[in-house]
Amino acid sequence: MGNPVETLEFQAEARQLLQLMVHSIYSNKDVFLRELISNASDALDKLRLASLVDKDLDVDTSDLHIAIEVDRDARTLTVRDNGIGMTRDEVVSVIGTIAKSGTAELLRTLRESSDSAASQELIGQFGVGFYAAFMVADRVELLTRKAGESGGTRWSSTGEGTYSVETVDAVPQGTAVTLHLKPADAEDNLHDYTAEWTIREIVKRYSDFIAWPIRMEVERSGEGGATTREVQTLNSMKALWARPRDEVDQAEYHEFYKHVAHDWADPLEIVHMKGEGTFEYEALLFIPAHAPLDLFAPQGRRGVQLYVKRVFIMDDCEALMPGYLRFVKGVVDAHDLSLNISREILQQDRQIQVVRRRLVKKILATVKDLKANHPERYRTFWTEFGAVVKEGLVDDAENRDALLELVSAASTHDAAEPTDLRGYVERMKDGQSEIWYATGESRAMLENSPHMEAFRAKGLEVLLLTDPVDEVWVERVGAYDGKPLRSIAKGEVDLDTDEERQQAEAEREQQRKDFADLLTWMGGALADSVKEVRLSSRLTTSPACVVGDAHDLTPTLEKMYRAMGHEVPPVKRILEVNPGHPLVAGLRKAHEQGGDQAELRETAELLYGMALLAEGGELADPSRFTRILAERLTRTV
């Protein structure tokens, strides 16, 4: 009796992604072979590492390789490895589903993209290379056996929504992927992938640097017309990171990047470095041209692989790259580490910490060079990765000064061009001692904020910071080039010169006397919401705004801490009112004349609610606010 075959459905998002890939038009379908070879190479890396770590693992590692097998009559192409293999559960979880964050966003973006090159880049971001096989095959079969286990698994699918899985006996260790190829179609850029020259050219172009031999049996004509068959190795197996930079061309670097990053686009920048002395290592690192979809996911992967003496040890090596550079991809090959070193030991290893510091400084120096000499590429870098790089201003005190020089931000100085901090300081007005900034969700919201009015009137430049991390790093850094960083929405703001202050002092003193009773009464009426009500020197046209004390948490930071599970006591803020606004002046007059206390209290509530909404804040009781507002509006109709 044979083993039962189980038919399962792809996860909904995987099914949609398959349909997009199969039916979309790609200018270069050859990359399917690169993806299958890359997966096979990873499987061989994992087996060799497993055999080094687990001495009891009964596996033969004497001839690890990748084999490409062609059956021209049956029109099949098989990519076979004798690597780590997969269990049945791993087959279902890895191939039947897409267990990564951002799936829905990827699908939405793919559907909206009419540009085939952009579509390829998006799929590359997501690391779903195995699915590329369905671009060239009507049916894909996978046969695999996990190293150290006896039974194997066969997986098969036409990519139409379901796949079958069965347990099979007598399966070689490793994985074989067999593609039942579609007919060649020149108009659809679908080549004959059973032709030796086609396979040889694709392997040479995309996979020449793979560390394992890629073998294929080929036919050769001998003397007298006799045909012989021989196995040839198609790739050179040269480790790019060990070769001098002037011996490697740009195309080789780009293909190696696509292998380690599982990306379809070329990298933005290449960083090739070598460390000599007491601890030798080579590093080949890449800055991608676009951010991965899991850049901000809690379980998002880091991109640096660790090798020891050309032996793969681990990918996603956290010890080699800080979190704020987690988008950097590449390889570090250390010469003097133990082959079975663990993640825990790596975190404590002094030599690894030295390498990490050198890598970070080199990456930051590379970005600095981009900023100085290649502004368009730097702009691409900052657009894609600026929000995550700024995390380093919070976490990496050692490199804080270097990071500050890289910061780019929108500013009221120019509606289109961002600025850096050095540029801001050079434009500061005579007598200005502080770098002013505003934080919020969008540039439009910040520019229309009441807090901005006095700065606009005085012609003072304000940095417009709209990333969530901005709330944190400006507080942690505190100053740049000796100039304090100050929020336009915190503390008291006095932008007048000494001369202006002297001229206006008499008027201000009179205002303080005139509004003293109103401010005291409003402070009591709004005591549940605000800690103080005071006259404002930052408003010119709005009736009121809400500000924080100089050292208070901002509302955004409060939300962030609560989202992380921290208990933060509510922070009451300060209501500032504009004594020159008719609404505030009318409220003072009504209060002096002993108007209806309930109505006055509601007017104070409306004033506070308007100030909250103007800065993009949230009302504690929206229904009460709208009811009071509707009643007031009704009286005016």
Side-chain angles (χ1 to χ4, degrees), residues 26 42 145 267 277 304 325 341 347 356 371 399 466 482 560:
Y26 292 94
D42 290 345
R145 176 170 67 84
V304 177
L325 294 179
I341 192 165
Q347 298 292 349
R356 174 186 169 118
K371 184 171 181 284
N399 292 295
T466 55
M560 287 172 60

Side-chain angles (χ1 to χ4, degrees), residues 40-55:
S41 173
D42 290 345
L44 295 171
D45 286 339
K46 290 173 182 175
L47 179 66
R48 180 157 69 166
L49 179 60
S51 68
L52 292 169
V53 173
D54 184 1
K55 301 300 182 185

Side-chain angles (χ1 to χ4, degrees), residues 102-138:
T103 310
E105 178 66 17
L106 170 78
L107 291 167
R108 182 189 64 76
T109 316
L110 274 174
R111 289 193 194 96
E112 292 173 357
S113 175
S114 57
D115 177 35
S116 63
S119 298
Q120 290 180 29
E121 290 181 12
L122 289 163
I123 290 172
Q125 285 185 51
F126 203 64
V128 288
F130 175 82
Y131 294 105
F134 288 97
M135 294 193 297
V136 301
D138 291 318

Side-chain angles (χ1 to χ4, degrees), residues 452-471:
M452 194 72 74
E453 293 173 4
F455 294 87
R456 189 180 293 113
K458 294 286 185 181
L460 288 173
E461 182 178 354
V462 178
L463 298 177
L464 307 173
L465 307 179
T466 55
D467 291 321
V469 70
D470 292 329
E471 295 272 1

Side-chain angles (χ1 to χ4, degrees), residues 208-276:
D208 193 54
F209 51 81
I210 295 291
W212 307 102
I214 303 171
R215 298 171 183 163
M216 184 171 70
E217 187 176 72
V218 297
E219 287 186 358
R220 288 294 176 262
S221 297
E223 295 180 6
T227 300
T228 60
R229 301 188 69 82
E230 62 182 62
V231 175
Q232 292 188 358
T233 298
L234 305 183
N235 61 321
S236 67
M237 296 179 289
K238 293 179 181 177
L240 252 64
W241 60 85
R243 292 162 56 187
R245 182 157 190 167
D246 57 6
E247 293 181 11
V248 184
D249 64 38
Q250 201 80 344
E252 289 180 287
Y253 278 133
H254 288 179
E255 290 311 321
F256 182 73
Y257 163 74
K258 291 170 185 177
H259 166 67
V260 296
H262 296 288
D263 196 351
W264 296 48
D266 292 336
L268 183 70
E269 191 63 22
I270 302 163
V271 180
H272 197 165
M273 59 188 293
K274 186 173 184 178
E276 297 177 335

